[in-house]
Amino acid sequence: MSATRPGDGAFAIDARGLGVRYNLRLTRRTTVRHSFAHLLRPMDGATHFWALRNATFRVEHGESLAVIGPNGAGKSTLLQVLAGIITPSEGSVEMRGKVSSLLTLGAGFDPDLTGIDNILLAGEFMGLDHREMRRRLPEMIAFADIGKFIDAPLKTYSSGMRARLGFSIATSVDPDVLLVDEVLATGDQLFREKSRKRIEELIAAAKGIVLVTHDMNWVTTFCNRAILLEKGEVVAEGDPADVVALHQAHSEQARQEKEAEAARLQLSGVL
Amino acid sequence: MTTVTPEIRAVYGAARPGPMSLVAEGLRDIWSRRRLARYLVQADLKKKGTDTLLGNIWWVLDPLLQMLVYVVLVTLIAGRAEPDFPLFVFAAILPWKWFSAALNDAIMSVVSRERIIKQVHFPKIILPVASTLSGIVNFAFGLLPLAALIVLFYRDRLTIMLLLIPVIAIAQLAFTLGLAILFAAINVFYRDVGNLARHLLRLWFYLSPGLYSIDRIQHILDAQPVVALAFALNPFTILFEAYRAVIYEGTLPAFDSLAILTVASLALLGACTYLFKRLEPAFAKVL
C-alpha cells in the first residue's frame, strides 16, 4: 500500500523548479559597519547569486540518483535543500517518507565530550528516537571499532577514529529516502571496505537515494540515473554512463581551457 | 507504505505561515526537542567541570569569590555599604550570573554550532533555550553557598520567605529566554552583538540596584524623572528588589511588579520567538 496521488507513480522525491538564491550581502562575517556601507552605496556589485536554479527531477521508488558536476555547481546546496536544511527560494520539493542524510561526517561533534555522549547528542540533533539510539549503542561502538576510547573525550581521538565514529552514527538510520554526500572515502582500507558494505546495505534498503560524489565508479555501480549540475543548472539527465561521459568531456574541456589561459598569462608575463 | 511526517511538511511548506502559527511552531519545537535541550545542558555542565582541578566545586566557589570582590570594592574602597553587605550583594550576584552567563552563551549558541546547522535539520531555537536552562542549574547550585552564608553568619535573616525564590526565578526565566532567543538570532547576521553584549551587560548591572539599594539613589531619582523612569522600567530593578526582599529582608516581594514583569516577558518571548523563526531559514545560508 502506498500513498500515491491519482495519476502519480510511487515516488520518493519530487522536485519542481528548485532554486536557491544567496544574498551576497548577508554572507559570512557581516558587521554593522558593512551594512551601513551598503546602505550608502546600494548598487555596489551583484547582490544575489543563484547557487541552484530550475532543478526539476523526480526519484521514483527503488531509484538511486547520482548528482555529479564540478566543484561549486550546486550539488551540496541541492542536497541541503532535500535534507530540509535550506528552504528553497523558489520551486518546491516533496519528500515521501523518513529522510536521512549522510552529509559530512562528525558534523556536530564536541571535542570535550566522550564518544558515547557525542553519539547520544548527535542522535538527538538528528531527531532519532533515544530508546532506539541506546539500543543500537553497542552495535555502533563495535562498528566504529574505537575500543575503550569510547569513554574518553573526543579530543583524544585520532582523525581516523573520529571519522569512523561519525560514519557509524550517520549510518545508524533506516531511512526511506537516503541522501549521501561524499562520505565514502574515510579511514583506512579495512574500514573503507566495511563502510562500503554498510552503504550498500542502506542503498538496498532505502526507497530512494540521492548520491553526490566525485567517484564515478560509485555513480555507475550504484545509481540507475544521474543528473549533471553545472553552475547551478541541470545540464544533463539520464543513464549514469552517458552523464558521466558528458561530465568527463566537460571537465576535460574546462581543464584544457584553464591550461590555455594559464599559458597565455605566462606568455604575457603575469605569472 | 509511505508517510509524510508533519515535520517534513513544516519544512517544505511553501506558504509563509503567519506570526501566531510561527510562535506556536517555535514553542512546539522547544517542547518536542526537550530531550535535545537536556542533553545540551548536560554536555555544557560536564564540559565546565572537567578541565579544572576543583571541577564542579567552582559552581559554589565562583559566586562566593565574586561576592568577595564586590565586598572589598564597596566596603573598603567606596566605603558606603549596606548592613550585612555580603548577603545583600550575594542576593544580586546569584541571579545576575545566571542572566549574564545565559545571554553570553546564547549569543554564541547558534554561530558556534555552524557545522551541524549546515549538515542536519533541527530546530535551532533549542540552542539559546539550552543556554538559558544551563544557567538555571548554576543558579540552583549557587543557592548552596547562599544557604550556608545565611545559616552560618546571618541566622537572624533566615525566614520562610526564602521559599519564594523559585517564584521570582520564573519571572526571570521568562525574561531571559526572550532576550536569549532574540540575540542568538541577531548574532548570526551581526557578529558585533557578541562583542557589544559583554560591555552592555556590565553596564546594565551597575545601572541596576544590585550593589546598592534603591533608597540610596532616591535623591537622584527624585531630581531626574527620566532616570527614575529608566529605573522603574528596568526588569532587574524589579528582580533584584524581589530577590532581596525574600533573601535579605525576609519580606514578601512585590508580587504586582513581578506579575507585570512576567506578563511583559511572555509577550517579549512571543515576539522574539516569532523573529527567530522568521530568520531561522536563512541561518544555514548565512553561517
Side-chain angles (χ1 to χ4, degrees):
Chain A
M1 173 190 159
S2 68
T4 49
R5 290 181 307 192
D8 270 359
F11 65 86
I13 302 174
D14 185 20
R16 286 173 297 262
L18 281 185
V20 173
R21 192 176 65 172
Y22 277 82
N23 186 340
L24 291 178
R25 284 188 195 168
L26 283 179
T27 43
R28 226 167 228 292
R29 310 275 178 261
T30 327
T31 62
V32 174
R33 194 166 64 89
H34 284 131
S35 294
F36 278 121
H38 274 299
L39 277 181
L40 296 178
R41 292 175 283 112
M43 301 309 285
D44 194 10
T47 55
H48 291 105
F49 161 72
W50 287 93
L52 186 70
R53 195 119 206 227
N54 303 326
T56 301
F57 60 89
R58 190 178 245 243
V59 177
E60 311 287 342
H61 270 174
E63 246 188 343
S64 66
L65 176 76
V67 180
I68 56 177
N71 286 328
K75 303 187 296 290
S76 296
T77 303
L78 174 60
L79 223 51
Q80 283 181 314
V81 172
L82 297 182
I85 295 162
I86 288 181
T87 327
S89 314
E90 62 177 30
S92 66
V93 63
E94 192 175 341
M95 312 283 284
R96 295 232 173 130
K98 199 164 79 181
V99 182
S100 192
S101 53
L102 306 188
L103 304 183
T104 312
L105 298 173
F109 280 173
D110 193 320
D112 293 314
L113 295 179
T114 66
I116 291 201
D117 285 340
N118 266 302
I119 293 179
L120 294 175
L121 188 59
E124 289 303 324
F125 270 123
M126 297 195 290
L128 305 177
D129 181 67
H130 80 280
R131 270 165 309 214
E132 181 73 8
M133 221 37 208
R134 285 200 181 270
R135 198 178 59 74
R136 287 190 178 191
L137 207 52
E139 183 192 326
M140 286 158 69
I141 295 169
F143 189 87
D145 191 23
I146 41 188
K148 58 184 190 306
F149 269 92
I150 198 69
D151 289 316
L154 217 76
K155 56 189 170 194
T156 62
Y157 286 31
S158 71
S159 56
M161 289 159 77
R162 208 170 301 183
R164 294 207 298 273
L165 187 66
F167 184 90
S168 157
I169 294 172
T171 54
S172 70
V173 287
D174 44 332
D176 299 317
V177 181
L178 181 67
L179 311 170
V180 188
D181 187 4
E182 287 288 1
V183 291
L184 314 167
T186 58
D188 52 20
Q189 192 58 44
L190 198 74
F191 189 74
R192 221 175 293 180
E193 281 299 306
K194 212 159 71 163
S195 55
R196 186 186 167 101
K197 210 181 269 165
R198 182 83 186 100
I199 298 233
E200 282 171 30
E201 281 169 27
L202 280 172
I203 288 179
K207 295 197 179 79
I209 292 130
V210 178
L211 180 72
V212 167
T213 181
H214 286 289
D215 188 340
M216 295 306 145
N217 285 330
W218 276 85
V219 177
T220 43
T221 316
F222 290 113
C223 301
N224 42 27
R225 214 149 53 84
I227 58 177
L228 175 59
L229 276 184
E230 278 174 10
K231 296 193 177 109
E233 310 241 359
V234 180
V235 294
E237 174 175 4
D239 182 67
D242 299 343
V243 178
V244 166
L246 186 68
H247 172 50
Q248 275 159 348
H250 282 195
S251 348
E252 181 60 23
Q253 198 183 342
R255 198 179 59 80
Q256 278 172 2
E257 276 168 16
K258 212 177 269 176
E259 264 173 18
E261 180 75 7
R264 231 188 1 261
L265 285 172
Q266 212 154 15
L267 277 180
S268 60
V270 177
L271 272 177
Chain B
M1 128 151 214
T2 50
T3 50
V4 181
T5 64
E7 201 176 351
I8 289 168
R9 275 207 197 290
V11 174
Y12 298 98
R16 174 184 281 179
M20 288 321 276
S21 65
L22 265 186
V23 173
E25 195 186 306
L27 298 179
R28 260 201 316 276
D29 284 349
I30 297 172
W31 181 247
S32 66
R33 292 302 191 95
R34 57 192 184 280
R35 188 178 295 272
L36 174 57
R38 207 183 82 195
Y39 277 39
L40 285 171
V41 170
Q42 279 171 356
D44 189 46
L45 298 178
K46 271 183 196 166
K47 271 161 42 182
K48 277 178 183 158
T50 48
D51 281 342
T52 51
L53 197 61
L54 295 178
N56 297 342
I57 297 175
W58 276 110
W59 294 349
V60 175
L61 220 50
D62 207 56
L64 282 177
L65 289 176
Q66 201 169 352
M67 177 196 79
L68 195 69
V69 170
Y70 283 126
V71 168
V72 169
L73 196 75
V74 175
T75 51
L76 295 187
I77 298 172
R80 32 186 297 175
E82 308 289 330
D84 293 345
F85 191 65
L87 186 64
F88 180 90
V89 76
F90 204 89
I93 288 175
L94 217 49
W96 184 260
K97 270 185 73 71
W98 168 17
F99 179 69
S100 62
L103 270 198
N104 279 321
D105 280 3
I107 285 169
M108 298 308 295
S109 64
V110 173
V111 293
S112 67
R113 295 275 175 186
E114 171 187 350
R115 287 201 58 208
I116 196 151
I117 287 172
K118 285 180 164 172
Q119 304 288 339
V120 180
H121 169 71
F122 69 96
K124 265 68 81 181
I125 200 164
I126 285 293
L127 299 172
V129 169
S131 300
T132 311
L133 294 182
S134 75
I136 292 189
V137 180
N138 275 309
F139 179 76
F141 271 91
L143 294 176
L144 295 177
L146 175 72
L149 201 66
I150 292 177
V151 171
L152 292 179
F153 300 109
Y154 306 107
R155 202 163 296 169
D156 52 324
R157 293 190 184 265
L158 179 64
T159 64
I160 193 80
M161 293 301 166
L162 282 177
L163 297 178
L164 286 172
I165 290 178
V167 177
I168 307 167
I170 286 174
Q172 183 179 348
L173 174 63
F175 179 64
T176 312
L177 263 184
L179 288 191
I181 289 169
L182 174 70
F183 287 118
I186 294 178
N187 196 47
V188 173
F189 301 92
Y190 298 107
R191 306 291 173 100
D192 313 64
V193 174
N195 298 334
L196 206 57
R198 265 174 299 142
H199 302 292
L200 287 185
L201 278 171
R202 178 163 294 194
L203 193 64
W204 190 348
F205 180 63
Y206 293 135
L207 291 180
S208 309
L211 298 177
Y212 47 85
S213 68
I214 201 102
D215 298 336
R216 201 174 276 276
I217 54 160
Q218 196 60 53
H219 62 282
I220 304 175
L221 301 186
D222 290 340
Q224 303 275 351
V226 181
V227 178
L229 184 68
F231 261 86
L233 291 179
N234 179 357
F236 270 92
T237 305
I238 298 169
L239 289 170
F240 283 157
E241 296 268 285
Y243 280 114
R244 198 168 285 144
V246 300
I247 294 172
Y248 178 78
E249 280 148 13
T251 56
L252 280 175
F255 282 117
D256 49 350
S257 348
L258 276 181
I260 293 171
L261 176 63
T262 309
V263 170
S265 298
L266 289 177
L268 178 77
L269 179 60
C272 295
T273 305
Y274 167 68
L275 201 79
F276 191 99
K277 291 298 294 182
R278 274 296 301 274
L279 297 173
E280 190 181 21
F283 287 174
K285 286 188 189 173
V286 175
L287 281 170

